[in-house]
Amino acid sequence: MIPLPLARIAEITSGALSGMADPRAVVRGPVVIDSRAVEPGSLFVAIKGARVDGHDYAAHAIRAGAVAVLASRPVEAPAVIVPDAAAALAELAAAQVRTLPNVTVIGVTGSAGKTSTKDLLARLTARVGSTIAPQGSFNNELGHPLTVLRADLDTRFMVLELAARNIGHIKELTRIAPPQIGVVLNVGTAHLGVFGGKEAIAKAKGELVESLPRSGVAVLNADDPLVRGMATRTEARVTYYGRGESAAIRAEGVVVDARGRASFTLRTPSGAAHVSLQLYGEHAVENALAAAAAGYELGLPVATIAEELSEATPRSRWRMEVTDRADGVTVVNDAYNANPDSMRAAFSAFEVLGKGRRRFAVIAALRELGDEGPALNAELGRLAGGAGLAGLIVAGPDAEPVLAGAHAAAQASAQPSAQTGAQTPTQAGVQAGGQAGAAQAPDGAPPGAPGYGEPVRIVHVPDAEAAAAELAVWLRPGDAVLIKGPRAMGLERTAELVLGGATQ
Ligand SMILES: Nc1ncnc2c1ncn2[C@@H]1O[C@H](COP(=O)(O)OP(=O)(O)O)[C@@H](O)[C@H]1O
Ligand SMILES: [Mg+2]
């Protein structure tokens, strides 16, 4: 951050100094909300959360070298006292951005793919100049200003992820750090419950392009009608990316390899180059195109864009992390989070990656879907139950709609059909009760072939640990397993345990 004396911090935040705070003492950063992250020169922002109250850690933060605490009540430490520490943090970030001489702010929003796209785009901007981007998914009212405050006089680019949990949220984030380039990826069903409909989600995401100045650029996904429709909501110039001819930046001749990694020709108005992604899942093409379109607007040569995209590996954890165990079991850890769209994307990537192998999945009921929750979870169950898996584990609470959907789909795909006999992995039978049992392999199915000769097993377990225990019984060398659920389920623990098993 750009160093600030406490007197100036108090002025920006309309706060009052207390606890013998020296007005001339200078904060050099980092600004943090976790006392364990304090370094000498830090400002510690005391946030009162649901479980912990940062104010209890004020003295600890000062001992660790913090210059002062930004607090909403007096603490036994030098402090700037404000009515609302989170709001004061936002004001501090807003003031700081406006003093940065040379920075281009790029905002990325959408229902799925923000973090992945942000990571790709930050690679591209780093080729041009010093770049600040949030670690992981720092995209809310706290993470956003904390990221912004990491910038200094050298910073040329800020690549920010903007998440909307409701109408007005993105508008507020763009007020803190006004973007010149706004990228909108897609309008899906994440947080559908809070919003109450896709149109409302589009309205919220569109706040990003509404905030852009006339001199700015809106980068829109031509293949998503609700995103394309945002063109009328901005004063900025609009550019499109996508698969079709109408997109200025597009992917042509997309092919996906056996592991689910896509290659394509990246076409731009000033030339084309070959891209071979190391990221898993065909949806990575959309994220790569979005990043490419923004990079193109910054003047990066197509060859450079293609090179960086092709070199990129996942930067943020638990997003389609593919790991092979020593015994040949492939674990796809996509446990970071889940919504109906990302579940579909993950299952389709998994189908490619697990072709010709016995496939298993661990999933959990999706949350934050409001009234639509049970219906969308039943749909998830149908997706999983009809995915040709050898076994499905549903972990955690509220699993009933998922289980019901899964059983229904598994039964449907088990209906005998003369033509598709050998192509229907679950045809051998379905154990609706959830326990394994002997079943006959369909005619023509090679012995031991993936999914054949065995019923789809559908079980419900209480948590991530129990899911791992169940998998330990099921998995055999050469199998593939997908692990994906909402953040609150912490299914990365399942992946950890399953992978830990490889070293034994
Ligand atoms: N463009 C996309 N379309 C659909 N699903 C996607 C897309 N990009 C990523 N995903 C899925 O969403 C998950 C979360 O990706 P992430 O980049 O963290 O998105 P976000 O930050 O928007 O939550 C990924 O693991 C992947 O399964
Ligand atoms: Mg994210």
Side-chain angles (χ1 to χ4, degrees):
M1 71 179 284
I2 298 171
L4 289 176
L6 288 183
R8 177 76 186 122
I9 291 177
E11 190 181 332
I12 292 167
T13 60
S14 308
L17 296 182
S18 87
M20 303 300 285
D22 176 356
R24 287 156 305 182
V26 174
V27 170
R28 295 176 191 283
V31 179
V32 298
I33 58 172
D34 181 339
S35 64
R36 290 164 298 186
V38 165
E39 292 172 27
S42 273
L43 178 69
F44 173 62
V45 184
I47 301 289
K48 186 167 165 24
R51 276 164 297 148
V52 252
D53 184 350
H55 295 86
D56 297 339
Y57 297 87
H60 175 257
I62 298 296
R63 276 198 302 279
V67 176
V69 182
L70 185 61
S72 36
R73 62 176 157 81
V75 286
E76 282 180 25
V80 179
I81 308 294
V82 293
D84 177 344
L89 174 64
E91 290 324 312
L92 204 54
Q96 185 92 144
V97 175
R98 282 152 182 85
T99 61
L100 297 172
N102 199 12
V103 73
T104 298
V105 177
I106 309 173
V108 179
T109 195
S111 292
K114 295 180 291 299
T115 298
S116 311
T117 304
K118 173 264 297 175
D119 288 343
L120 288 173
L121 184 51
R123 282 186 76 102
L124 296 180
T125 60
R127 289 288 290 251
V128 187
S130 168
T131 294
I132 297 283
Q135 282 144 2
S137 230
F138 259 34
N139 60 14
N140 63 11
E141 65 281 7
L142 294 175
H144 190 77
L146 288 172
T147 302
V148 167
L149 283 163
R150 281 170 42 216
D152 60 26
L153 290 172
D154 294 331
T155 303
R156 286 284 316 280
F157 298 100
M158 271 195 230
V159 182
L160 301 174
E161 173 177 339
L162 289 79
R165 297 198 143 251
N166 222 324
I167 303 283
H169 281 184
I170 288 186
K171 187 175 178 192
E172 169 60 14
L173 298 178
T174 62
R175 186 190 66 80
I176 295 171
Q180 278 85 47
I181 298 180
V183 181
V184 187
L185 300 172
N186 44 47
V187 173
T189 28
H191 312 306
L192 190 61
V194 199
F195 286 103
K198 268 195 161 191
E199 280 66 28
I201 296 177
K203 186 167 175 351
K205 307 249 179 261
E207 289 169 6
L208 173 58
V209 297
E210 279 173 355
S211 80
L212 296 172
R214 194 175 285 275
S215 60
V217 186
V219 177
L220 301 180
N221 182 352
D223 298 332
D224 185 319
L226 286 172
V227 174
R228 222 173 39 227
M230 291 176 191
T232 56
R233 291 170 60 189
T234 185
E235 293 192 337
R237 186 160 57 76
V238 176
T239 183
Y240 295 97
Y241 68 89
R243 303 283 184 112
E245 290 277 311
S246 68
I249 306 294
R250 59 184 186 270
E252 288 176 359
V254 177
V255 291
V256 179
D257 74 7
R259 295 280 262 175
R261 290 167 297 203
S263 301
F264 57 91
T265 301
L266 173 66
R267 195 160 292 283
T268 75
S270 52
H274 182 76
V275 174
S276 203
L277 294 175
Q278 296 181 57
L279 306 169
Y280 296 91
E282 199 178 337
H283 57 268
V285 174
E286 269 64 49
N287 301 341
L289 285 175
Y296 185 76
E297 289 299 327
L298 296 171
L300 273 162
V302 184
T304 307
I305 295 174
E307 184 183 306
E308 285 295 334
L309 293 176
S310 300
E311 278 172 14
T313 50
R315 246 190 218 188
S316 302
R317 295 216 66 193
W318 307 330
R319 289 163 180 85
M320 295 300 285
E321 275 183 22
V322 180
T323 313
D324 290 316
R325 284 199 330 201
D327 64 355
V329 169
T330 300
V331 178
V332 181
N333 177 0
D334 199 28
Y336 180 75
N337 211 341
N339 61 53
D341 305 302
S342 70
M343 273 290 187
R344 268 193 295 277
F347 269 93
S348 89
F350 185 55
E351 192 178 335
V352 176
L353 189 143
K355 215 178 203 77
R357 310 162 71 170
R358 291 204 321 160
R359 279 178 287 133
F360 297 89
V362 181
I363 59 174
L366 302 172
R367 307 185 184 195
E368 298 184 47
L369 296 167
D371 294 345
E372 306 264 355
L376 289 167
N377 273 314
E379 197 179 312
L380 165 62
R382 286 194 294 276
L383 171 75
L389 302 174
L392 173 69
I393 299 171
V394 184
D398 304 319
E400 292 71 23
V402 184
L403 291 165
H407 283 298
Q411 244 140 23
S413 53
Q415 297 301 320
S417 145
Q419 262 156 12
T420 58
Q423 273 103 36
T424 309
T426 56
Q427 182 166 22
V430 175
Q431 291 274 311
Q435 73 278 62
Q440 268 189 316
D443 287 349
Y452 290 96
E454 237 170 302
V456 160
R457 280 173 285 182
I458 300 171
V459 302
H460 179 218
V461 299
D463 54 29
E465 280 77 12
E470 193 69 36
L471 277 178
V473 180
W474 289 2
L475 291 177
R476 295 204 302 256
D479 290 348
V481 54
L482 169 70
I483 302 172
K484 182 169 181 70
R487 182 85 297 274
M489 270 310 293
L491 290 185
E492 64 277 3
R493 181 85 191 115
T494 307
E496 264 162 35
L497 290 166
V498 170
L499 288 170
T503 56
Q504 287 166 9

